[in-house]
């Protein structure tokens, strides 16, 4: 993120694009509410009427998969109505002239045809964004989980550059990242193309530095992104690129990756699969070795917040059972494989990291302790350097010439469009009570009591009438790749023609249906768009019995035992928060 999370409160306009903070990030959502209380205007761009839409001044309820058409049209209006910041563009950017012919065709009327957002609303939103004085963009998975994703991020950045909304407090562009430490995983170099601190593996100077520090020879070749694994296991002809062994650590691809039938095939074809986790998960079913690790309150370390903020986490309880911390497991495996890796504690690992990463070098444990947190870049160990709350101060950007770069391109439709056989769009999202692959929340009885298998498919009340299905009824959802069973939830939050499922459910597993259409740069799959069909199940008694049996089997696998036998078969049909009449209402 170019800004810090606390700055959200003081923006004059929040442009919230494909991001559902109320369900996904309650603490950030609180800041959004507070900005509203302080008088900020809010524009929400989401095909669903999410909570943000309810408090927004404008809700652009676009058609799924039309992001870049809308973003280009907003740029078009800002340019044509003379709302650009000419000084900022001249002094701090390159490429503006090249952008002009690209966005020229995206008149509000043209974009309205693609996005279903009225042309007048596009104009109004563009004016509000360009003229507030302190506009901030927040975006989420409604941008990233498309085969055209990075282009949209750049399109949003174009808006911030052309209006000078960068380099001042409460402006900029914020990808509100997912997991509590997804930013930290990237900071640590858990990416196919970079060492810790975003130093490229293809940069010979950086490579040499790490080789010297670690006493090894390092490859300059970019590694394999997770979403390429199935292909490289199943279909790769080049023996040098084939994958035979898969070490999976804090990830459950057999639940969270797209096209699960293909993932299972790949896991089974691998000669050797290791799974390192704090719970049993679906991937564990395919593993040759399972390495049990400690959970977040059983070890200490550092997390990076989405706004580049490092924070210490501390061990609260002694781990029970035969477990080790993740770093101890990695050290032991490495040592056994012939590279002795020895640290006494996480501080030693951290000290090595900041020594090797110039933009982290000032973020000492001592400073994290005293200041409570530090946002990178933080280069100086002196206590006076508290890091960088917002980036690009005084219009200085990270390109070698110090300038921001405009980048424009055309909108592309999603990869798999609705058709006669699969007439609806499947979009997969999140919900409040459960987390990602649900090992953590599915093992928690309290959360299971709020909401349990097999999850829900949100659809418009009109579509439910056409399909002849009612609230709570079990339905079958199919795509070209597979099917699953879940419950129907009619809701006015959703427009006709779209089905929304959350990806946490083991039985209602929407990734049986999704596809591995990837963005060419980020390699993120198009989780937000696949063609699907919803079928009524005539024999509901059979279906209820079927999911009970399936759940019993999965719980056995996951090792979930309850003290209260009623909860064992406890389905959420009556009791769920989603069944609350207010939940589905706009
Ligand atoms: N309770 C809970 N919280 C979580 C998680 C969880 O599983 N449970 N997961 C965490 C993780 S890993 C992440 S990455 C974050 C993600 O958090 P968010 O970014 O909020 O993710 P989503 O809910 O998947 O998608 C955001 C919104 O995109 C919208 N959308 C769908 N299609 C389009 C489109 O074509 N255009 C636009 N503009 N919007 C679209 C959806 O309607 C949805 O409201 O949440 C984190 N927080
Ligand atoms: N259809 C669809 N699929 C999606 C998405 C979507 O929107 N739609 N979102 C995608 C996104 S953004 C994300 S981030 C992924 C998330 O998907 P995953 O990363 O697969 O899911 P998580 O639940 O975050 O956790 C993965 C595993 O980490 C384990 N774990 C937790 N803490 C620790 C620990 O300290 N150490 C170890 N070793 N293991 C631990 C958990 O038990 C779990 O088994 O899902 C992706 N999949
Ligand atoms: Mo995520």
């Amino acid at each position: 993120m170019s800004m810090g999370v606390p700055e959200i409160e003081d923006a004059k306009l929040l442009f919230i694009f494909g991001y559902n903070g109320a369900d996904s990030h309650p603490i950030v959502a609180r800041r959004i509410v507070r900005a509203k209380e302080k008088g900020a205007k809010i524009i929400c761009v989401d095909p669903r009427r999410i909570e943000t839409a309810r408090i927004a001044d404008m809700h652009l309820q676009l058609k799924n998969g039309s992001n870049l058409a809308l973003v280009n049209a907003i740029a078009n209006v800002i340019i044509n109505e003379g709302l650009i910041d000419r000084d900022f563009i001249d002094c701090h950017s390159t490429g503006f002239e090249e952008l002009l012919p690209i966005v020229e065709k995206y008149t509000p009327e043209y974009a309205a045809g693609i996005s279903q957002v009225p042309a007048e609303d596009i104009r109004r939103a563009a004016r509000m964004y360009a003229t507030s004085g302190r506009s901030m963009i927040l975006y989420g998975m409604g941008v990233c989980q498309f085969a055209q994703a990075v282009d949209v991020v750049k399109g949003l950045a174009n808006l911030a550059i052309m209006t000078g909304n960068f380099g001042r407090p409460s402006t900029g562009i914020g990808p509100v990242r997912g997991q509590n430490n997804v930013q930290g995983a990237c900071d640590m170099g858990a990416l196919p193309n970079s060492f810790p601190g975003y130093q490229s593996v293809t940069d010979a100077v950086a490579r040499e530095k790490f080789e010297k520090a670690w006493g090894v020879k390092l490859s300059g070749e970019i590694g394999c992104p997770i979403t390429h694994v199935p292909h490289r296991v199943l279909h790769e002809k080049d023996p040098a690129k084939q994958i035979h062994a898969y070490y999976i650590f804090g990830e459950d691809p057999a639940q969270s990756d797209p096209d699960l039938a293909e993932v299972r095939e790949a896991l089974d074809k691998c000669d050797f699969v290791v799974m390192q986790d704090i719970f049993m998960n679906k991937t564990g079913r395919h593993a040759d070795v399972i390495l049990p690790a400690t959970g977040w309150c059983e070890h200490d370390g550092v997390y990076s917040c989405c706004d580049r903020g490092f924070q210490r986490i501390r061990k609260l309880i002694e781990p029970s059972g035969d477990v080790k911390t993740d770093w101890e497991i990695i050290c032991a495996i490495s040592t056994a494989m012939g590279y002795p890796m020895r640290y006494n504690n996480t501080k030693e690992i951290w000290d090595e990291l900041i020594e090797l990463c110039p933009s982290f070098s000032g973020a000492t444990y001592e400073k994290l302790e005293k200041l409570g947190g530090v946002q990178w870049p933080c280069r100086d160990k002196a206590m006076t350097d508290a890091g960088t709350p917002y980036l690009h101060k005084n219009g200085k950007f990270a390109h070698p010439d110090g300038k921001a770069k405009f980048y424009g391109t055309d909108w592309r439709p999603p990869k798999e469009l609705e058709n006669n056989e699969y007439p609806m769009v499947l979009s997969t999202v999140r919900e409040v009570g459960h987390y990602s692959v649900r090992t953590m929340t599915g093992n928690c009885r309290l959360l299971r009591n709020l909401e349990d298998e097999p999850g829900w498919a949100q659809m418009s009340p009109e579509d439910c009438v056409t399909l002849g299905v009612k609230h709570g009824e079990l339905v079958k959802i199919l795509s070209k790749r597979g099917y699953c069973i879940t419950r129907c939830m009619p809701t006015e939050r959703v427009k006709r023609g779209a089905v929304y499922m959350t990806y946490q459910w083991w039985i209602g597993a929407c990734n049986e249906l999704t596809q591995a259409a990837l963005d060419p740069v980020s390699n993120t799959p198009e989780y937000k768009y696949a063609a699907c069909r919803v079928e009524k199940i005539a024999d509901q008694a059979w279906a209820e019995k079927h999911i009970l049996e399936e759940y019993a089997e999965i719980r056995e696998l996951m090792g979930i035992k309850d003290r209260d036998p009623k909860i064992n078969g406890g389905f959420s049909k009556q009791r769920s928060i989603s069944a609350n009449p207010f939940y589905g209402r706009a």
Side-chain angles (χ1 to χ4, degrees):
M1 277 171 52
S2 78
M3 74 294 275
V5 168
E7 289 167 51
I8 293 171
E9 282 185 21
D10 295 308
K12 285 196 177 154
L13 181 129
L14 291 172
F15 190 58
I16 301 177
F17 203 108
Y19 170 55
N20 183 9
D23 277 23
S24 306
H25 298 133
I27 295 179
V28 177
R30 193 57 222 146
R31 301 269 183 192
I32 294 171
V33 170
R34 216 168 291 155
K36 166 97 184 166
E37 285 163 0
K38 288 186 179 182
K41 295 262 183 283
I42 297 177
I43 302 172
C44 171
V45 185
D46 202 293
R48 285 187 304 163
R49 195 159 169 78
I50 55 172
E51 286 299 287
T52 311
R54 295 182 58 197
I55 63 164
D57 298 273
M58 282 193 84
H59 178 204
L60 308 185
Q61 199 170 8
L62 79 179
K63 160 90 175 91
N64 306 65
S66 65
N67 285 339
L68 194 57
L70 180 68
V71 171
N72 280 349
I74 290 174
N76 176 296
V77 174
I78 292 173
I79 293 165
N80 284 331
E81 298 197 358
L83 303 173
I84 55 168
D85 182 337
R86 192 76 247 183
D87 284 348
F88 195 89
I89 294 173
D90 289 346
C91 302
H92 305 296
S93 76
T94 58
F96 186 59
E97 299 307 317
E98 289 86 328
L99 178 73
L100 297 177
I102 293 164
V103 299
E104 195 182 301
K105 118 173 170 217
Y106 293 86
T107 61
E109 281 70 21
Y110 176 70
I114 298 168
S115 67
Q116 298 173 1
V117 177
E120 221 20 69
D121 285 359
I122 299 176
R123 287 200 176 84
R124 243 181 79 210
R127 288 172 199 142
M128 278 166 70
Y129 176 79
T131 59
S132 87
R134 269 201 313 274
S135 289
M136 182 189 278
I137 297 170
L138 299 175
Y139 72 88
M141 292 303 120
V143 168
C144 304
Q145 292 177 334
F146 277 102
Q148 183 174 38
V150 175
D151 290 345
V152 180
V153 175
K154 291 179 176 178
L156 289 168
N158 287 342
L159 303 181
I161 307 167
M162 72 175 65
T163 56
N165 274 304
F166 258 131
R168 291 178 286 123
S170 300
T171 61
I173 169 163
V176 200
R177 303 202 61 175
Q179 315 258 9
N180 47 9
N181 196 34
V182 64
Q183 184 69 49
C186 299
D187 291 353
M188 287 299 277
L191 289 167
N193 58 353
S194 88
F195 295 122
Y198 305 94
Q199 301 172 83
S200 174
V201 298
T202 59
D203 172 356
V205 178
R207 217 161 50 234
E208 209 178 304
K209 178 169 73 176
F210 285 99
E211 285 176 345
K212 238 173 97 192
W214 294 336
V216 290
K217 192 90 200 108
L218 294 167
S219 163
E221 241 172 76
I222 290 173
C224 178
I226 181 170
T227 43
H228 288 203
V229 171
H231 178 86
R232 298 254 300 249
V233 174
L234 296 171
H235 311 296
E236 180 62 55
K237 296 280 180 291
D238 179 355
K241 287 191 172 162
Q242 283 167 3
I243 291 176
H244 296 275
Y246 197 5
Y247 190 146
I248 300 159
F249 160 31
E251 190 81 19
D252 185 6
Q255 173 74 19
S256 59
D257 275 3
D259 195 355
L260 291 181
E262 191 189 42
V263 173
R264 287 189 293 266
E265 201 186 331
L267 286 167
D268 286 336
K269 199 184 165 207
C270 274
D271 299 330
F272 187 56
V273 175
V274 184
M275 180 264 223
Q276 178 171 326
D277 211 283
I278 63 170
F279 285 114
M280 186 57 181
N281 64 23
K282 277 196 182 168
T283 301
R285 201 179 251 174
H286 307 265
D288 297 288
V289 175
I290 292 175
L291 302 171
T294 52
W296 59 270
C297 54
E298 298 172 322
H299 52 237
D300 54 27
V302 179
Y303 283 169
S304 313
C305 177
C306 57
D307 67 0
R308 299 164 281 105
F310 295 130
Q311 283 171 295
R312 285 286 314 274
I313 59 149
R314 290 172 189 81
K315 179 167 156 177
L316 294 176
I317 54 168
E318 281 306 318
S320 57
D322 187 13
V323 294
K324 282 189 175 8
T325 65
D326 285 309
W327 67 267
E328 285 171 315
I329 297 174
I330 292 169
C331 289
I333 299 264
S334 170
T335 305
M337 286 173 72
Y339 177 78
M341 193 188 275
R342 285 197 185 91
Y343 301 94
N344 291 307
N345 49 49
T346 57
K347 182 171 180 299
E348 288 182 12
I349 301 173
W350 187 254
D351 286 344
E352 178 187 307
L353 174 84
I354 62 176
E355 256 351 283
L356 290 166
C357 303
S359 46
F360 307 161
S361 56
T364 58
Y365 254 37
E366 192 197 355
K367 218 188 271 185
L368 296 186
E369 198 72 58
K370 285 229 171 87
L371 305 178
V374 169
Q375 281 168 282
W376 63 258
C378 178
R379 297 174 204 276
D380 194 335
K381 289 201 169 57
M383 272 296 166
T384 45
D385 183 359
T388 314
Y390 62 90
L391 302 176
H392 317 311
K393 197 170 182 176
N394 302 323
K396 207 175 163 322
F397 291 86
H399 285 293
D401 62 2
K403 293 186 172 180
K405 203 149 122 189
F406 283 103
Y407 172 88
T409 193
D410 277 309
W411 168 76
R412 291 193 304 271
K415 287 283 160 72
E416 185 182 78
L417 297 175
E418 303 90 306
N419 52 59
N420 284 340
E421 203 178 343
Y422 301 104
M424 295 177 88
V425 184
L426 172 73
S427 181
T428 61
V429 294
R430 283 154 181 81
E431 64 189 74
V432 173
H434 284 279
Y435 198 83
S436 289
V437 304
R438 218 168 76 84
T439 51
M440 294 174 274
T441 54
N443 273 286
C444 173
R445 188 156 9 105
L446 183 78
L447 292 171
R448 275 205 318 270
N449 279 343
L450 289 172
E451 195 67 80
D452 208 341
E453 297 285 345
W456 300 86
Q458 303 175 17
M459 284 180 278
S460 75
E462 296 88 346
D463 282 337
C464 292
V465 169
T466 310
L467 290 159
V469 289
K470 290 200 190 71
H471 183 106
E473 197 172 322
L474 289 166
V475 290
K476 192 169 173 182
I477 319 243
L478 307 88
S479 82
K480 239 162 99 176
R481 290 155 293 278
Y483 75 90
C484 65
I485 291 176
T486 187
R487 287 189 200 283
C488 165
M489 187 201 291
T491 165
E492 283 142 22
R493 290 179 188 264
V494 171
K495 289 211 287 188
R496 292 191 76 155
V499 180
Y500 292 83
M501 293 175 75
T502 61
Y503 70 105
Q504 356 298 131
W505 304 105
W506 293 323
I507 297 174
C510 63
N511 280 327
E512 300 291 347
L513 317 171
T514 53
Q515 47 162 350
L518 309 179
D519 178 90
V521 179
S522 67
N523 291 298
T524 298
E526 195 145 74
Y527 287 123
K528 295 274 184 279
Y529 209 107
C532 78
R533 181 172 79 238
V534 180
E535 281 181 4
K536 188 178 169 69
I537 300 176
D539 192 346
Q540 286 289 307
W542 168 84
E544 293 287 353
K545 189 163 159 280
H546 169 78
I547 54 166
L548 268 175
E549 285 163 5
E550 201 175 330
Y551 199 21
E553 195 184 308
I554 294 175
R555 289 159 66 94
E556 175 88 36
L557 167 87
M558 302 281 185
I560 300 177
K561 295 182 190 77
D562 279 313
R563 271 178 299 166
D564 181 353
K566 278 202 299 289
I567 292 164
N568 264 307
F571 283 95
S572 53
K573 198 172 173 183
Q574 308 303 332
R575 201 173 42 206
S576 86
I577 46 168
S578 307
N580 178 326
F582 297 107
Y583 186 79
R585 302 252 161 229

